Amino acid sequence: MCSTPRPRGKITAKTAYSGSLLSNISAEARLNFSSRANMADEQRYKNNLANEKYRNEKKSHLKSRINKNNTVNKSWRYWLVNASFKEIIVVLFFGYSSHR
């Protein structure tokens, strides 16, 4: 690749140490890091619990609204339009509906 620009000076990069990142820092810095990480993890856990509780309450509220709307008595004309032929025959000959 001859069109790639080349640096004029010498480039020095940080050398990577072997091992994990925490092994390269002091014990005090490692302790501070772990305490902050633990506090962040606890906060994340609390937020997840609160969000889950909110979603469950919202779902149960919606289910109760749906159940209230479904328990409204419909007129016999509404049933007649939506009923199957079998249900109509059962009501006419036996006098009861299987969906009531």
Side-chain angles (χ1 to χ4, degrees):
M1 303 221 185
C2 8
S3 64
T4 307
R6 305 219 184 265
R8 296 188 189 270
K10 185 178 179 183
I11 297 176
T12 59
K14 292 184 178 180
T15 59
Y17 297 106
S18 63
S20 70
L21 293 174
L22 291 178
S23 66
N24 297 328
I25 60 176
S26 67
E28 184 180 340
R30 197 176 314 130
L31 185 63
N32 289 338
F33 176 80
S34 62
S35 66
R36 283 195 315 263
N38 288 339
M39 287 183 352
D41 188 47
E42 288 174 12
Q43 188 65 34
R44 227 178 284 119
Y45 180 73
K46 288 178 185 177
N47 287 343
N48 286 342
L49 284 180
N51 288 339
E52 192 69 29
K53 183 179 177 185
Y54 174 74
R55 278 190 233 120
N56 287 340
E57 288 175 356
K58 192 173 181 180
K59 284 181 185 177
S60 65
H61 177 69
L62 289 176
K63 285 180 183 177
S64 66
R65 280 180 60 191
I66 290 170
N67 289 339
K68 287 178 185 176
N69 291 340
N70 287 344
T71 58
V72 174
N73 292 331
K74 309 278 189 202
S75 68
W76 64 272
R77 284 179 247 128
Y78 181 83
W79 175 83
L80 187 60
V81 170
N82 292 325
S84 67
F85 185 69
K86 179 182 174 184
E87 287 178 310
I88 295 171
I89 297 298
V90 168
V91 169
L92 288 176
F93 289 113
F94 299 108
Y96 63 89
S97 174
S98 61
H99 289 288
R100 286 188 181 183

